[in-house]
Amino acid sequence: MDILNELIEADIVIADISSYNPNVMLELGVRLAFNKPTIIIKDDQTKYIFDIGWIRTLEYDRAFMYEKEI
C-alpha cells in the first residue's frame, strides 16, 4: 500500500513506457484514474500503445539511454 499511497500523493510522476513494463502500466493507470499530473515518456523505438496513444507522450532518442559498461 505504500507504493499506492506514494503514487496518489506525489506532486508529479514520470512514467517511462518504453519497456511495456506491466508495473509501470498499472502505476500509470492509477495516476490517470486519479487525474494526477503525469509525464509520459518513451524511446523513439517503442511504438505507441493504442489505448493511451491519445495522451501526449514525450519521446527521446534510445541512443541516449544509460548503459552500464562491463
Side-chain angles (χ1 to χ4, degrees):
M1 285 305 234
D2 290 335
I3 294 173
L4 184 58
N5 288 333
E6 292 291 331
L7 279 170
I8 295 168
E9 295 176 11
D11 292 333
I12 194 162
V13 167
I14 299 173
D16 188 339
I17 60 170
S18 299
S19 64
Y20 297 125
N21 182 317
N23 291 339
V24 173
M25 297 303 175
L26 176 66
E27 293 162 2
L28 176 58
V30 168
R31 290 297 291 190
L32 295 175
F34 281 89
N35 200 28
K36 297 288 191 164
T38 308
I39 297 170
I40 304 171
I41 63 173
K42 70 174 203 61
D43 65 39
D44 59 350
Q45 302 296 310
T46 301
K47 295 183 180 181
Y48 284 93
I49 300 170
F50 77 96
D51 54 349
I52 62 169
W54 58 273
I55 301 172
R56 184 171 183 212
T57 303
L58 302 176
E59 201 170 271
Y60 62 87
D61 188 337
R62 182 179 268 185
F64 293 133
M65 289 181 63
Y66 169 80
E67 292 186 29
K68 185 176 181 180
E69 292 185 29
I70 299 176

